[in-house]
Amino acid sequence: MPNKNLHEVNRLAWNEATVAHNSHKHDQAAFFRDGGSTLFPDEVELLGNIEGMSLVHLQCNAGQDSLSLARLSAAVTGVDISDTAIEFARTLSNESGIPAAFQRADVYDWLERAAQCNTRYDIVFSSYGALVWLSDIKTWAQGIASVLKPGGRLVYVDFHPISGVFEDGWKLTYDYMGGKTTEFEVGVGDYVAMSSEAITPSGYLEGVKDFQNPHPSYEFSWGVGEIVTATLDAGLQLTTLREYPYTNGFRRFTDMRELSGNRFTMPEGMPNFPLMMGLVAQKPETL
Ligand SMILES: C[S@@+](CC[C@H](N)C(=O)[O-])C[C@H]1O[C@@H](n2cnc3c(N)ncnc32)[C@H](O)[C@@H]1O
């Protein structure tokens, strides 16, 4: 069962963090009006051609990736639990002139309602810092299967769970799997300030300084085996599973080496291991 009480605590933390994050992003509406996109080549490759497709973007935050997907001619609905994120997303859609629908909800409530209303999508997309916020991997996968059209696909790209076991300094600190809950007394931090230009393609602004989240947050650890198994158990067929030795746009650890294309990898001399994963799974035509 999802632990919605903890999700509600996270909602407060994300409400604050989202304001700080967006304070660092220079005129995002102009960026989109000028044809900008916040997508990385990896998700574009996993998605393939999405022209004319219906797509729901789960945990869309302030909607930058949702609008970039809409720009590729998909009919996009973005869903997020954070009030401020959805407000930002709606404003950005209006000011950029890129149409997309945005709905504020806990992912689990939204998936349940969509299934009850018989709403179906060609693609469910979720990315970059998504599953660590969700307390029930099986219900997540089943909910996604229930809103996909036959032949529709889940496209998921995220930071690799193995990179989540470390704290700064590569100290082995956190659980890898089992849905273990970790409480952070100071909730979501200002990772946008930490990654600066790599995550702000519209330009970096100093914005909010020394952000301290007044709310705690709760994260959940899911290993690759659990993610894949939940997807298969929900009746989806795995078509792609990739691991990447870099992160897109996120300096997760202070000593990471910056690569071209706004990517970060391990420091010089450290053996590589996966820092991101990508998964595509299809709903059979008969399910
Ligand atoms: C790291 S951000 C994801 C950013 C996203 N990849 C994007 O396109 O910008 C994680 C998001 O998950 C949302 N979130 C956390 N728990 C959630 C839940 N239970 N239901 C819906 N959204 C949730 C947060 O509000 C936050 O916007």
Side-chain angles (χ1 to χ4, degrees):
M1 287 279 286
N3 189 332
K4 294 188 192 163
N5 292 334
L6 297 188
H7 297 176
E8 281 299 305
V9 178
N10 288 340
R11 171 185 178 178
L12 302 179
W14 273 104
N15 278 348
E16 299 289 337
T18 299
V19 174
H21 295 168
N22 282 281
S23 75
H24 301 298
K25 299 183 180 180
H26 179 69
D27 201 340
Q28 299 184 71
F31 169 77
F32 280 110
R33 283 196 303 271
D34 291 346
S37 168
T38 53
L39 298 175
F40 282 87
D42 307 286
E43 55 263 26
V44 172
E45 187 261 332
L46 292 174
L47 283 159
N49 182 6
I50 58 170
E51 194 180 335
M53 294 190 185
S54 55
L55 182 153
V56 60
H57 180 191
L58 299 180
Q59 298 176 253
C60 65
N61 192 254
Q64 294 91 346
D65 284 359
S66 318
L67 297 181
S68 303
L69 293 163
R71 190 24 79 65
L72 298 176
S73 303
V76 174
T77 302
V79 177
D80 200 279
I81 200 167
S82 159
D83 311 73
T84 55
I86 291 298
E87 267 169 46
F88 267 112
R90 287 183 178 144
T91 303
L92 193 53
S93 170
N94 288 337
E95 291 182 352
S96 65
I98 304 176
F102 289 99
Q103 298 177 7
R104 200 218 63 78
D106 188 316
V107 154
Y108 295 98
D109 293 334
W110 188 89
L111 287 169
E112 198 178 324
R113 272 201 303 274
Q116 280 163 1
C117 298
N118 255 337
T119 317
R120 299 287 179 269
Y121 294 85
D122 294 305
I123 297 185
V124 174
F125 177 70
S126 194
S127 69
Y128 300 116
L131 270 179
V132 292
W133 300 106
L134 301 187
S135 54
D136 181 337
I137 188 86
K138 282 182 194 295
T139 306
W140 174 78
Q142 282 159 2
I144 287 171
S146 69
V147 302
L148 279 172
K149 292 179 186 172
R153 290 177 297 135
L154 162 66
V155 179
Y156 170 69
V157 52
D158 210 334
F159 303 110
H160 200 288
I162 194 65
S163 64
V165 302
F166 301 106
E167 64 177 307
D168 217 13
W170 304 93
K171 184 169 169 240
L172 188 57
T173 306
Y174 302 108
D175 287 305
Y176 171 72
M177 60 196 210
K180 290 285 175 59
T181 310
T182 304
E183 178 181 2
F184 293 91
E185 266 176 42
V186 177
V188 190
D190 195 353
Y191 57 78
V192 175
M194 199 172 160
S195 306
S196 75
E197 278 88 7
I199 204 174
T200 52
S202 62
Y204 182 76
L205 299 174
E206 184 169 275
V208 172
K209 276 198 239 170
D210 304 322
F211 172 69
Q212 283 289 309
N213 204 313
H215 302 287
S217 64
Y218 294 89
E219 295 190 27
F220 309 91
S221 58
W222 302 111
V224 175
E226 290 169 318
I227 299 168
V228 170
T229 302
T231 305
L232 297 175
D233 285 351
L236 303 181
Q237 294 172 337
L238 188 65
T239 61
T240 308
L241 182 61
R242 293 201 203 297
E243 295 178 311
Y244 310 85
Y246 50 77
T247 59
N248 283 336
F250 182 28
R251 184 188 286 279
R252 180 169 207 143
F253 305 106
T254 38
D255 60 354
M256 285 177 97
R257 234 173 347 123
E258 188 158 0
L259 304 173
S260 61
N262 297 325
R263 288 177 170 149
F264 297 91
T265 193
M266 34 273 302
E268 202 68 61
M270 184 183 276
N272 79 24
F273 61 85
L275 293 170
M276 296 200 314
M277 64 173 285
L279 174 154
V280 182
Q282 187 164 32
K283 181 164 172 169
E285 294 288 348
T286 51
L287 198 69

